[in-house]
Amino acid sequence: MDSMEVIRQGYFQECEELLLAMEEGLIAMESGEADAETINAVFRAVHSIKGGGGAFGLSHLVKFAHGFETVLDHVRSGVLTPEADSIKILLRAGDVLADHVNAARSGRALAADHGDDTVADLAALAGGEAEEEEEGGDPFASSFTPLRLDLDDDTSTPGTPGMPGWRILFRPTGRLYAKANEPFLILRELESLGPCEVEADLSALPPLADFDTDRSYLGWTIRLMADVPRAAVEEVFEFVVDDCVLEIELLADPVADIELPLPAMAPQDAPEAPQTPEAPDKQAAPAEAPKQTIRVDLDKVDRLVNLVGELVITQAMLTQRVTESGLARTSLVSNGLAELEHLLRDLQEGVMAIRTQPVKSVFQRMPRLVRELSVQTEKQVHLVLEGEATEVDKTVIERLGEPLTHMIRNAVDHGLEATAARIAAGKPAEGTVKLSAEHRGGRIVIEVSDNGGGINRARVREKAVEKGLISAAAVLTDEETDNLIFKPGFSTASQVSNISGRGVGMDVVRRSIQDLGGRIVINSVPGQGSRFSLTLPLTLAVLDGMVVAVGGQTFVLPLTHIVESLKPREQDIRPFGRDRSLLKVRDAYVPLVKVGALLGVPGSQPDAAGGVVILVESEGSGRLALAVDQILGQRQVVIKSFEANYRNIDGIAAATILGDGRVALILDVDGIVSRCRADACHNEDIELAATGTGP
Amino acid sequence: MSDTIDEMRLQFITFLTGEQEYGANIMTIREIRGWTETTPLPHSPDYVRGVINLRGVVLPVVDLKARLGRGLTAANPKHVIIVVNMGARTLGLLVDAVSDILTAKAAEIQPTPDLARDTQSDFVEGIVVLDQRMVTLLSMEKLAQSFAGAAEAA
């Protein structure tokens, strides 16, 4: 990647953050919680996106952002008081701006008229400012032409005693330039406030040989002869105050100084003036102090995570060896080891935390989605977000967007009733969809709930029979009926809408959640709404597993797939066909598979009744009873892939390293279930039994 | 040009397995460690002895003697595992013992005698004769590739 590309990528990453900040601010404005700083933050975000866009020649983006910015500027200066309607336009403008950024990032072009209606709305909001827009056009596209400031003419003016004004000391640091700011534009802007006398300070310029192009050597002293409030001057420097030395002083005329007891406002300002560099900081402080962050290559973090994992395993082995050697528990060595274990645990948590991010980045995409859906479905929807600060592994977050989008769509499209129906049912016309996240017992729980009509079970059942997913005679509990919507090829919307899909929805959702090692549970009350709860691991690198013994070997079963474990009775095991057998679990027959035989492990229990049976369930609702010798316990294991060094093995998902340093294999439950079902797929009875819905 | 290539010195690690001495280019060897019990992998050929934990990496171990078609090694703690690094792929080779480091000019490497083909000849790069000793040079690339391929087929 050449360096320009690196900068470009950096810009787009920054845009992502800025867009989030913008949207957050706009939403705060919508809910009426916005203060002046929020509006400023939105303005700054749009401005920064525009500024960077100009540097990369993204003219469409810059043009749109400029119009947007103009309106925001009016809001900021109080010319325009945002009302519900205008905020809707601003929100839409935010969406269009995001489209522009995404289009620029992916290099594809947006339709020529994309967002034109929004542009028109913005222009209407901006009112008579059209001509300013034309003139202001695109300040960044204009080539840099030195501007001659009319200094000489004005020199007489400052001499006028009592003429108010400001003395501004402005010394940019290298960072100011690195952020694509241009002092010339700032000076020009200052000049628009009134006549200026600008003096460049070249004293810091080093000899050419010592010149460091990343540093800034120039400074300016500006005498601004205009009766403008201090805030107006500060505003000019709004985007650069963090990256320059800035002093703004009331212009103290030597004569006036002695003669006049300064005007009433002056005493307040005067003592403050010398320390102005801090003043803008104070002003900025109420806005949440930006946290210092660094961007790190994910590979580096992963290497660290791996190393710490290894460290933990080595420590566990060491502890075991020390225990075996018969040293007293109180010995110095043992104490040291205990200390080490403690530190390592902290270290591991800390390293894992590097990979986590707030779910906010996913949640923030939803308001826009709901706004669009609300228009398309003509339903009034209120979206409530909760627990956005909950932190989860980055990979989990990345893969959460798709399923959540699906679920929100479903909630609005299928969950909420049409407005008329809601009113008829005596509910408020506006439906509520709630998206929340929280930590619960080492896992993260995300819930999508709506206060709509709940799942129409009669309709679901009818549809399932129609599609041949269940037999007409099948007796299902409410829970089982609800779960039918996860079946591949199921869709209840009477008409296929272009919003939520063609029945590819929920089974895909369930699959992606299970791929993340999570589960999904439905809770639906007719007339009151539905709630979908997703339970996800905090990170993909570890897995909750049940450790079992087969023959002399140890295997791990992912806990997410386990339904229950039981001790089978001899009479419940029925031979079936040539070499198969079924296990009677309560009233259903489930195919029984001996793990030892399946994986060719010598020395395992020949008879399932002599061991333990673990009932597992795979995504397609297939159930299977796995016979193992013994359950050794339950623990979190770190997932290690061996595919890179070897190849995929049937029935094995990955490997892990146990506390004693030995490798244990993690069983691929989905693979085993689907393989066993594929073997039996011509047999109706097994099929029925495997779905767990048999008689 | 060819002179300089012939003069180029190559280093090989030599090891014993089934009473024969083999050599492998030192650049492909990452480390040498003692034998530890492996975790067997299901549905794998017999020469794949299983996997071990190499400081957090799950490393497959191949029994070289068995791979060359001469029966399984009765492994004990005196045996060693040579950790071979081939690009992105890392694997362990179970051998009886590591014997020497050998330096040879490229010109001293003789081509494989054109005898009846057996499993071994698929992996042989050449032969070096030094002081009455004959060392068979094995290509770790070919071994790793065949290992992946054979495993796939099995």
Side-chain angles (χ1 to χ4, degrees):
Chain A
M1 224 188 319
D2 61 71
S3 59
M4 194 58 187
E5 188 54 29
V6 172
I7 297 171
R8 203 178 139 92
Q9 289 307 327
Y11 165 66
F12 284 123
Q13 270 174 14
E14 232 168 76
C15 274
E16 252 171 50
E17 287 158 23
L18 290 167
L19 285 170
L20 278 182
M22 174 195 77
E23 172 127 15
E24 205 179 319
L26 287 174
I27 288 170
M29 282 164 74
E30 191 183 25
S31 58
E33 292 160 9
D35 52 11
E37 186 45 45
T38 318
I39 299 167
N40 273 333
V42 173
F43 177 78
R44 274 196 302 266
V46 174
H47 183 86
S48 304
I49 292 174
K50 179 180 101 170
F56 293 107
L58 309 171
S59 54
H60 293 297
L61 185 151
V62 171
K63 198 163 155 226
F64 181 82
H66 185 74
F68 191 9
E69 193 189 58
T70 311
V71 177
L72 287 171
D73 196 31
H74 288 333
V75 175
R76 193 166 68 134
S77 57
V79 174
L80 189 77
T81 315
E83 282 158 30
D85 284 349
S86 40
I87 288 182
K88 282 231 161 60
I89 295 174
L90 292 180
L91 279 165
R92 207 141 38 77
D95 295 345
V96 176
L97 184 61
D99 291 340
H100 275 292
V101 170
N102 286 336
R105 183 174 206 166
S106 59
R108 69 191 154 79
L110 286 173
D113 61 346
H114 185 86
D116 270 4
D117 47 341
T118 313
V119 172
D121 286 344
L122 284 174
L125 275 183
E129 291 299 323
E131 84 275 33
E132 192 225 322
E133 196 174 329
E134 273 164 41
E135 178 247 323
D138 177 3
F140 293 93
S142 60
S143 61
F144 177 77
T145 38
L147 182 79
R148 193 166 171 271
L149 302 173
D150 327 325
L151 309 176
D152 300 0
D153 290 344
D154 292 331
T155 35
S156 56
T157 337
T160 322
M163 174 69 191
W166 299 94
R167 193 182 76 85
I168 302 151
L169 185 80
F170 172 47
R171 180 172 282 282
T173 63
R175 269 192 303 157
L176 182 141
Y177 295 98
K179 291 183 184 170
N181 286 301
E182 172 52 75
F184 160 65
L185 293 173
I186 290 166
L187 296 178
R188 196 170 69 175
E189 183 124 12
L190 268 183
E191 206 202 7
S192 71
L193 294 175
C196 288
E197 186 183 315
V198 182
E199 196 181 311
D201 173 10
L202 307 177
S203 59
L205 263 183
L208 196 56
D210 302 336
F211 202 86
D212 176 352
T213 50
D214 285 336
R215 289 185 52 193
S216 163
Y217 299 105
L218 295 179
W220 290 271
T221 310
I222 305 126
R223 286 162 69 89
L224 171 64
M225 260 60 71
D227 185 9
V228 290
R230 177 186 203 89
V233 180
E234 277 173 358
E235 196 188 313
V236 172
F237 294 94
E238 182 171 10
F239 296 104
V240 297
V241 317
D242 294 335
D243 302 315
C244 66
V245 177
L246 183 65
E247 284 175 28
I248 304 173
E249 286 173 20
L250 206 57
L251 201 59
D253 188 287
V255 191
D257 215 359
I258 303 162
E259 283 188 358
L260 303 174
L262 291 164
M265 60 163 278
Q268 292 167 332
D269 268 18
E272 216 180 307
Q275 17 158 316
T276 352
E278 267 134 305
D281 281 350
K282 268 183 223 151
Q283 194 190 30
E288 53 192 81
K291 278 189 208 156
Q292 292 262 330
T293 55
I294 49 166
R295 293 186 205 286
V296 183
D297 194 350
L298 202 55
D299 282 350
K300 285 186 190 166
V301 176
D302 285 347
R303 205 154 61 223
L304 203 60
V305 172
N306 270 337
L307 273 173
V308 172
E310 289 160 28
L311 212 53
V312 170
I313 291 162
T314 315
Q315 180 270 334
M317 282 193 304
L318 203 57
T319 309
Q320 197 166 340
R321 297 284 139 76
V322 169
T323 317
E324 282 165 9
S325 73
L327 267 176
R329 240 169 225 291
T330 48
S331 69
L332 287 176
V333 175
S334 300
N335 283 344
L337 273 175
E339 185 90 335
L340 182 67
E341 188 180 344
H342 198 75
L343 287 172
L344 277 179
R345 197 162 301 155
D346 285 354
L347 182 63
Q348 195 172 26
E349 270 171 28
V351 169
M352 290 295 196
I354 298 179
R355 278 192 56 103
T356 63
Q357 282 183 333
V359 289
K360 198 169 169 181
S361 56
V362 179
F363 277 24
Q364 287 278 314
R365 281 190 248 155
M366 301 306 160
R368 169 177 188 180
L369 178 74
V370 169
R371 279 200 298 281
E372 288 174 355
L373 289 172
S374 168
V375 173
Q376 287 170 27
T377 58
E378 293 169 4
K379 292 175 184 174
Q380 297 173 41
V381 189
H382 178 55
L383 177 71
V384 180
L385 298 177
E386 264 176 28
E388 294 155 278
T390 314
E391 296 205 326
V392 200
D393 187 86
K394 186 177 161 60
T395 322
V396 175
I397 288 191
E398 279 165 3
R399 287 161 59 178
L400 210 51
E402 197 100 326
L404 278 186
T405 310
H406 257 302
M407 291 170 72
I408 296 271
R409 277 196 178 140
N410 275 331
V412 175
D413 197 22
H414 303 314
L416 295 179
E417 315 92 325
T419 310
R422 285 188 69 87
I423 295 169
K427 292 182 179 180
E430 191 184 53
T432 303
V433 172
K434 193 168 126 186
L435 178 59
S436 68
E438 64 170 324
H439 284 295
R440 215 182 275 165
R443 293 175 77 83
I444 175 177
V445 180
I446 294 181
E447 289 188 346
V448 179
S449 56
D450 62 70
N451 64 355
I455 292 177
N456 184 343
R457 298 202 173 104
R459 180 92 189 90
V460 167
R461 194 194 155 84
E462 197 182 305
K463 198 87 185 176
V465 173
E466 190 185 305
K467 300 247 170 189
L469 298 170
I470 54 168
S471 73
V475 180
L476 303 184
T477 63
D478 285 353
E479 190 194 338
E480 280 167 338
T481 312
D482 291 348
N483 279 313
L484 286 174
I485 67 169
F486 292 123
K487 291 263 184 191
F490 182 89
S491 173
T492 54
S494 327
Q495 356 165 261
V496 171
S497 64
N498 60 356
I499 301 164
S500 34
R502 298 154 191 283
V504 291
M506 289 313 279
D507 66 311
V508 174
V509 167
R510 172 131 115 172
R511 180 123 4 104
S512 14
I513 298 303
Q514 282 180 338
D515 284 349
L516 288 170
R519 306 192 120 197
I520 179 165
V521 177
I522 312 178
N523 199 320
S524 178
V525 181
Q528 292 180 26
S530 316
R531 189 176 72 223
F532 291 82
S533 310
L534 315 180
T535 317
L536 294 162
L538 292 181
T539 151
L540 291 185
V542 299
L543 168 144
D544 282 314
M546 186 174 272
V547 186
V548 299
V550 177
Q553 291 185 40
T554 312
F555 292 94
V556 178
L557 275 163
L559 219 51
T560 46
H561 288 290
I562 297 179
V563 181
E564 60 179 301
S565 57
L566 46 102
K567 192 99 183 137
R569 289 177 304 177
E570 194 92 53
Q571 65 266 34
D572 286 342
I573 301 170
R574 303 277 169 81
F576 186 84
R578 263 177 301 127
D579 49 357
R580 315 180 66 79
S581 46
L582 296 180
L583 176 73
K584 187 176 168 210
V585 183
R586 284 178 284 278
D587 286 330
Y589 281 92
V590 180
L592 179 68
V593 171
K594 295 192 197 81
V595 174
L598 183 77
L599 301 178
V601 183
S604 61
Q605 279 278 355
D607 187 8
V612 184
V613 162
I614 297 170
L615 202 59
V616 294
E617 185 173 44
S618 154
E619 71 200 26
S621 293
R623 285 194 175 188
L624 201 65
L626 293 176
V628 300
D629 294 357
Q630 203 188 341
I631 293 177
L632 297 177
Q634 193 178 312
R635 56 173 291 173
Q636 278 206 331
V637 297
V638 178
I639 301 170
K640 301 272 178 188
S641 159
F642 54 74
E643 270 171 55
N645 289 331
Y646 190 54
R647 64 176 176 116
N648 204 0
I649 301 176
D650 277 345
I652 305 296
T656 187
I657 295 165
L658 297 177
D660 60 1
R662 300 231 9 210
V663 179
L665 302 177
I666 302 173
L667 297 184
D668 172 16
V669 172
D670 285 336
I672 294 175
V673 173
S674 66
R675 210 160 64 126
C676 291
R677 287 178 47 116
D679 288 350
C681 72
H682 298 299
N683 193 314
E684 285 286 304
D685 295 332
I686 290 252
E687 186 74 1
L688 255 182
T691 57
T693 56
Chain B
M1 194 61 188
S2 65
D3 281 353
T4 51
I5 287 179
D6 285 350
E7 287 299 309
M8 211 164 73
R9 287 176 171 275
L10 298 168
Q11 280 196 312
F12 297 92
I13 283 194
T14 70
F15 42 89
L16 295 165
T17 192
E19 280 143 24
Q20 283 199 32
E21 193 170 16
Y22 293 94
N25 191 327
I26 202 164
M27 301 311 288
T28 61
I29 311 289
R30 197 169 100 180
E31 66 179 275
I32 294 158
R33 66 196 321 273
W35 165 257
T36 43
E37 255 338 292
T38 59
T39 300
L41 292 174
H43 312 302
S44 295
D46 62 348
Y47 58 78
V48 176
R49 296 295 288 252
V51 284
I52 59 164
N53 164 24
L54 178 74
R55 290 184 307 277
V57 176
V58 175
L59 182 80
V61 177
V62 172
D63 185 337
L64 183 63
K65 190 171 145 204
R67 184 67 194 100
L68 299 178
R70 308 220 315 277
L72 282 180
T73 306
N76 66 45
K78 283 185 187 157
H79 286 83
V80 292
I81 292 173
I82 300 179
V83 180
V84 179
N85 206 339
M86 299 300 324
R89 190 182 278 259
T90 308
L91 66 92
L93 279 186
L94 168 64
V95 300
D96 290 349
V98 170
S99 53
D100 202 356
I101 291 178
L102 174 157
T103 306
K105 289 180 192 152
E108 290 168 346
I109 299 173
Q110 303 171 15
T112 322
D114 198 8
L115 292 173
R117 293 180 61 83
D118 61 358
T119 327
Q120 170 172 324
S121 57
D122 291 346
F123 313 120
V124 175
E125 260 182 341
I127 290 170
V128 178
V129 180
L130 282 175
D131 321 324
Q132 314 295 317
R133 273 159 66 200
M134 187 193 83
V135 177
T136 311
L137 302 181
L138 295 178
S139 158
M140 292 297 120
E141 284 96 340
K142 284 182 189 158
L143 200 68
Q145 274 163 20
S146 85
F147 155 71
E152 221 89 50

